[in-house]
């Protein structure tokens, strides 16, 4: 079973600070981490390999420093890593990113592709399903449990708003996973040593045979017109007095707002 | 996917004409032509004795003529045959956009009945494209995306909106990928640029700390998923007239199959994204028993119980209740944050709630920065008091009415 896990290096937003004057993120000095959902994707890939055998390849698209994320994945136990890095990839939106990743996946040859549900910087959750369309394979989103997997068949639980669906699919298939699916393992010492020495493949757009019109800024249908700070709440009110008085004020306020 | 006729091979025998269920083949000057009625059902392929009719994967070009795309569409998702409330919100937003563009508003409904389609018209749709095919009763990404792609190619709307729900967020990306067009996730505001007719798609980025305006200037349709509970419903009009266009799903199948839909049984409402009131607890509860108190309040005022990640990590409540960056994004009318300090990851999941009531011992807790009403105090004192007051009010109400 050839398993490909797509990961993204993101700023660790737990450590992101907000500039109180401009209400923008201070990105300098913010450490980079593997997107938390992708940690669960890597773990899912490793567990499938342990269960039915195969090879786990992690791939990412990004600047040269994204190599760190791939080494972290290797230290967890992934077999192989590919970094898609090329200045021509810069400025990709989800369409161009999905196209680029799908070209790399085709080159590697995959039976199962696993992605995290979404990345915590963009929160779009679009790259996984878009890739599946480019690869012309089925996909299942928001997987919280893999109930059964064989060489040509998978049955999973898909998280929905008020419960879950049990969904089956033939393989090849693309899966996106939520945190509930597993607990990502910590890297072993042996894994860390191996990851340090591992040779990471670096592919450019020509290596994957990407169409120049479909990658990077040029291949991206969407454009960011502008960014701005969200409107600050101006109606903040700290309630005062004894607990009893505070509750009375609260109920009164809510009544005025016709909420009670 | 398109069906075309290889003119060199076509002998004009007209064998294909009767094979077409859609009247989509014309004979002109002794050759067959596929017209715009074609639903790509492929029935004619095997009917042709010359193998002159073929399917082709026409490459979508980046250059399109935006003028050829007209109309605003919303995708109306259903669960068990009932249209989801987000669809009515989309109609509200879509009506406003289509009026500004002086164009029509259409809804696309798969797997529900004609009476549900009528409801969409009463809520503002001029037209509903309806497929009653049982294939769409349960949600599978492939058939949903295939049929929507086919319809968009055929009717060429300029804007397509869907809910940013598990369904919309899962299959709409496939549609955008195939149509080679842009898709903006999770929009919270939509405007029209009058000069260019471009859709200005506004969404939170970087965990809600920045808002971004996204454009899709050179590709059509412009596609966006819209956060539930953000857009306002339009006017309901019992007498509104509209057109229902039945759609067939010829040639569409699904490789995935939904075997079972399991509802998680819970005494309280877990459907956080639909709830009007959410009462969330965090580390400040100090123990799992705190959630019993929150459940009591929730039960009293018809709310759902949420939590911060800290409480989930402590094992006090299940992940399905988690609000925040790695949990659910919610925007109820009232959000109670009880014993939640207000880490940015939690704030991004709830700060667009209409009213936020924060209860925390620490007056410096960042949750107070986003709170509409802040109460500094012990939640184990405040909440029982609130419960008591509400019960008293109801008693008085009952007596007054009786």
């Amino acid at each position: 079973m050839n398993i490909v896990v797509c990961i993204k290096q993101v700023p660790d937003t737990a450590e992101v600070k907000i500039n109180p004057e401009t209400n923008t993120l201070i990105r300098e000095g913010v450490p980079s981490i593997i997107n938390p959902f992708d940690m669960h994707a890597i773990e899912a890939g490793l567990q499938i390999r342990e269960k039915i055998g195969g090879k786990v390849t992690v791939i990412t698209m990004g600047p040269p420093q994204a190599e760190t994320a791939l080494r972290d994945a290797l230290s967890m136990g992934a077999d192989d890593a590919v970094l898609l890095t090329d200045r021509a990839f810069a400025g990709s939106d989800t369409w161009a990113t999905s196209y680029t990743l799908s070209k790399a996946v085709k080159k590697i040859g995959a039976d199962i592709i696993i992605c995290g549900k979404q990345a915590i910087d963009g929160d779009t959750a679009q790259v996984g399903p878009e890739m599946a369309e480019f690869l012309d394979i089925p996909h299942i989103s928001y997987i919280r449990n893999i109930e059964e997997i064989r060489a040509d068949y998978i049955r999973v639980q898909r998280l929905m708003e008020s419960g879950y669906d049990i969904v089956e699919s033939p393989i090849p298939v693309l899966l996106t996973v939520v945190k509930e699916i597993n607990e990502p393992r910590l890297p072993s010492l042996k894994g860390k040593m191996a990851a340090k020495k591992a040779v990471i493949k670096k592919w450019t757009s020509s290596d994957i045979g990407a169409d120049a019109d479909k990658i990077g800024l040029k291949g991206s249908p969407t454009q960011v017109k502008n960014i701005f700070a969200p409107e600050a709440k101006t109606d903040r009110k700290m309630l005062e007095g004894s607990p009893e008085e505070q509750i009375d004020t609260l109920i009164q306020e809510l009544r005025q707002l016709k909420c009670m | 996917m398109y069906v075309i006729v290889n003119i060199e091979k076509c002998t004009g025998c007209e064998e294909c004409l009767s094979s077409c269920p859609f009247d989509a083949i014309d004979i002109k000057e002794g050759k067959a032509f596929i017209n715009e009625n074609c639903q790509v059902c492929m029935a004619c392929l095997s009917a042709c004795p010359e193998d002159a009719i073929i399917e082709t994967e026409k490459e979508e070009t980046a250059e399109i003529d935006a003028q050829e795309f007209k109309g605003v569409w919303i995708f109306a998702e259903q669960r068990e045959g009932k249209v989801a409330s987000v669809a009515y919100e989309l109609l509200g937003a879509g009506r406003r956009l289509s009026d500004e563009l002086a164009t029509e508003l259409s809804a696309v409904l798969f797997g529900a009945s004609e009476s549900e389609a009528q409801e969409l018209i009463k809520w503002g749709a001029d037209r509903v494209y309806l497929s009653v095919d049982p294939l769409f009763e349960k949600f599978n990404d492939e058939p949903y995306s295939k049929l929507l792609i086919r319809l968009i190619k055929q009717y060429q709307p300029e804007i397509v909106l869907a809910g940013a729900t598990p369904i919309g967020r899962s299959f709409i990306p496939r549609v955008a990928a195939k149509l080679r067009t842009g898709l903006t996730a999770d929009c919270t505001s939509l405007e029209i640029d009058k000069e260019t007719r471009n859709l200005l798609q506004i969404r939170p980025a970087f965990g809600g700390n920045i808002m971004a305006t996204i454009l899709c200037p050179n590709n059509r349709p412009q596609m966006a998923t819209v956060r539930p509970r953000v857009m306002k419903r339009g006017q309901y009009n019992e007498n509104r007239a509209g057109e229902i266009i039945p759609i067939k799903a010829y040639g569409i199948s699904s490789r995935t199959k939904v075997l079972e839909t399991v509802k998680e049984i819970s005494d309280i409402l877990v459907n956080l994204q639909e709830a009007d009131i959410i009462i969330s607890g965090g580390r400040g509860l100090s123990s799992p028993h705190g959630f019993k108190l929150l459940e009591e309040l929730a039960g009293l005022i018809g709310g759902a119980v949420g939590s911060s990640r800290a409480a989930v990590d402590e094992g006090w409540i299940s992940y399905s209740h988690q609000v925040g960056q790695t949990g659910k994004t919610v925007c109820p009318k009232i959000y109670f944050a009880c014993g939640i300090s207000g880490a940015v990851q939690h704030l991004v999941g709830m700060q667009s709630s209409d009213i936020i009531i924060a209860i925390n011992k620490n007056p410096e807790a960042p949750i107070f920065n986003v709170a509409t009403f802040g109460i500094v105090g012990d939640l184990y004192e405040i909440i029982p008091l609130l419960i008591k007051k509400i019960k008293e009010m109801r008693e008085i109400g009952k007596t007054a009415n009786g």
Side-chain angles (χ1 to χ4, degrees), chain B residues 146-363:
Chain B
K146 281 191 173 141
L147 188 57
L148 187 57
I149 289 163
R150 190 186 281 176
L151 290 173
I152 291 173
K153 281 185 174 174
Q154 192 178 349
Y155 295 101
Q156 304 201 318
E158 59 199 295
I159 292 171
V160 178
L161 307 177
T165 60
I167 288 180
R169 281 170 64 113
S170 186
F171 92 96
I172 295 288
R174 289 193 83 116
V175 177
K178 188 74 181 179
L179 296 173
R180 204 207 197 300
T181 192
L183 171 60
T184 306
D186 244 353
C187 293
T188 53
S189 172
L190 297 166
E191 302 294 334
I192 298 290
D193 179 352
K194 287 258 165 56
E195 263 176 50
T196 57
R197 287 175 77 89
N198 281 335
L199 180 65
L200 305 174
Q201 304 157 72
I202 298 157
R203 73 180 300 261
F206 290 101
N209 292 300
I210 287 179
M211 303 299 289
T213 309
I214 311 287
L215 281 181
C216 175
N218 303 318
N219 301 66
R220 290 291 181 273
Q222 306 163 89
M223 299 183 69
T225 61
V226 178
R227 225 177 240 192
R229 307 188 54 83
V230 172
M231 302 293 169
K232 298 272 172 275
R233 289 186 182 204
Q235 285 289 325
Y236 184 82
N237 180 350
E238 185 71 39
N239 302 317
R240 216 168 179 287
E243 182 185 11
I244 295 175
I245 298 180
I247 300 296
K248 293 276 194 288
Y250 284 106
I252 289 181
S253 58
S254 180
R255 283 177 280 190
T256 61
K257 188 178 173 199
V258 178
L259 300 173
E260 200 182 330
T261 296
V262 181
K263 289 228 171 88
E264 307 244 85
I265 310 295
S266 172
D267 294 340
I268 46 142
L269 195 68
V270 192
N271 194 350
L272 292 170
Q273 272 136 336
E274 299 265 318
D276 278 337
I277 302 176
I278 295 174
I279 297 142
S280 277
R283 202 188 298 279
L285 293 182
S286 317
S287 85
H289 303 297
F291 280 104
K292 289 271 171 282
L293 189 61
L294 302 191
E295 278 174 26
E296 191 187 343
L297 178 59
L300 196 62
I301 57 179
V305 172
S307 82
S308 72
R309 180 170 168 192
V312 173
D313 286 350
E314 292 284 352
W316 298 342
I317 192 163
S318 73
Y319 170 72
S320 55
H321 294 264
Q322 186 180 319
V323 172
Q325 190 159 64
T326 52
K328 289 184 169 122
T329 302
V330 299
C331 53
K333 289 201 179 93
I334 307 181
Y335 188 91
F336 284 86
C338 311
I340 293 175
S341 63
V344 69
Q345 293 90 336
H346 187 74
L347 299 185
V348 302
M350 46 63 79
Q351 63 190 3
S352 47
S353 307
D354 290 350
I355 295 172
I356 296 166
I357 299 167
I359 304 167
N360 206 296
K361 271 185 187 167
N362 175 10

Side-chain angles (χ1 to χ4, degrees), chain A residues 11 13-14 18 23-25 27 36-37 94-95 117-118 120-126 129-130 132-134 136-142 144 153 155 158-170 178-180 213-214 219 221-230 233 235-239 243-244 246-248 250-251 253-255 257 259-260, chain B residues 59 79 139 141-142 145 149 165-167 169-170 173-174 176-178 180-186 200 202-203 205-217 219 255-264 271 273 309 319 325-328 334 344-345 351 353-357 368-376 381-382 385-386 389-390 393:
Chain A
T13 48
I18 302 164
N23 206 18
T24 54
L25 293 180
R27 294 197 77 181
F37 291 104
T94 59
W95 195 94
K117 171 188 119 173
Q118 64 194 51
I120 60 166
D121 55 350
D123 287 330
T124 73
Q126 285 171 191
E130 289 199 20
E133 185 64 33
F134 284 118
D136 194 20
I137 58 171
H139 84 273
I140 308 169
S141 304
Y142 311 120
R144 63 168 220 174
Y153 173 89
R155 189 177 69 241
R158 168 175 72 191
L159 190 67
M160 300 296 278
E161 288 110 328
S162 51
Y164 62 93
D165 289 341
I166 298 172
V167 188
E168 63 176 12
S169 173
V178 297
K179 291 196 146 199
E180 262 181 317
D213 288 336
K214 295 183 178 176
T222 61
Q223 294 173 3
V224 178
K225 183 172 171 269
N226 63 331
I227 59 169
F228 55 96
K233 289 219 173 200
D235 52 351
R236 269 181 276 155
K237 192 167 188 176
M238 294 300 282
L239 304 182
E244 187 120 19
Q246 292 192 31
I247 295 291
D248 286 341
L250 179 66
I251 289 174
E253 292 274 5
L254 291 179
R255 275 188 159 165
L257 293 164
C259 286
M260 249 181 185
Chain B
E59 193 70 19
R79 308 292 159 85
F139 169 66
D141 293 274
E142 272 190 292
S145 51
I149 289 163
T165 60
I167 288 180
R169 281 170 64 113
S170 186
R174 289 193 83 116
K178 188 74 181 179
R180 204 207 197 300
T181 192
L183 171 60
T184 306
D186 244 353
L200 305 174
I202 298 157
R203 73 180 300 261
F206 290 101
N209 292 300
I210 287 179
M211 303 299 289
T213 309
I214 311 287
L215 281 181
C216 175
N219 301 66
R255 283 177 280 190
T256 61
K257 188 178 173 199
V258 178
L259 300 173
E260 200 182 330
T261 296
V262 181
K263 289 228 171 88
E264 307 244 85
N271 194 350
Q273 272 136 336
R309 180 170 168 192
Y319 170 72
Q325 190 159 64
T326 52
K328 289 184 169 122
I334 307 181
V344 69
Q345 293 90 336
Q351 63 190 3
S353 307
D354 290 350
I355 295 172
I356 296 166
I357 299 167
F368 289 122
N369 295 332
V370 301
T372 325
F373 302 111
I375 298 178
V376 179
E381 187 180 355
I382 303 288
L385 209 53
L386 182 60
K389 287 272 178 192
I390 293 170
M393 276 162 50

Side-chain angles (χ1 to χ4, degrees), chain A residues 120-229:
Chain A
I120 60 166
D121 55 350
D123 287 330
T124 73
Q126 285 171 191
V127 168
E130 289 199 20
M131 271 176 76
E133 185 64 33
F134 284 118
L135 294 165
D136 194 20
I137 58 171
H139 84 273
I140 308 169
S141 304
Y142 311 120
I143 295 171
R144 63 168 220 174
N145 184 24
I146 296 174
E147 290 188 344
E148 194 187 339
I149 180 160
R150 301 192 298 263
D152 58 351
Y153 173 89
I154 189 165
R155 189 177 69 241
V156 301
Q157 294 179 0
R158 168 175 72 191
L159 190 67
M160 300 296 278
E161 288 110 328
S162 51
Y164 62 93
D165 289 341
I166 298 172
V167 188
E168 63 176 12
S169 173
I171 286 172
V173 67
L174 184 144
L175 316 172
T176 81
V177 301
V178 297
K179 291 196 146 199
E180 262 181 317
I181 190 170
N182 56 40
E183 197 56 51
R185 69 194 63 189
L186 293 168
S188 65
L189 192 61
K190 204 175 131 205
K192 277 186 182 169
M193 302 285 280
K196 231 180 211 172
K197 281 185 268 174
V199 179
I200 288 175
K201 295 188 185 84
K202 288 182 184 127
W203 290 352
T204 62
S205 60
S206 57
D207 291 326
I208 55 171
D211 182 338
D213 288 336
K214 295 183 178 176
I215 57 171
L217 202 55
K218 195 177 171 195
S220 299
T222 61
Q223 294 173 3
V224 178
K225 183 172 171 269
N226 63 331
I227 59 169
F228 55 96

Side-chain angles (χ1 to χ4, degrees), chain B residues 39-56:
Chain B
Q39 301 278 318
V40 205
C41 73
M42 317 282 182
C44 52
L45 267 63
S46 52
C48 178
E50 308 295 331
D51 288 332
I53 309 181
I54 50 172
E55 65 170 82
T56 173

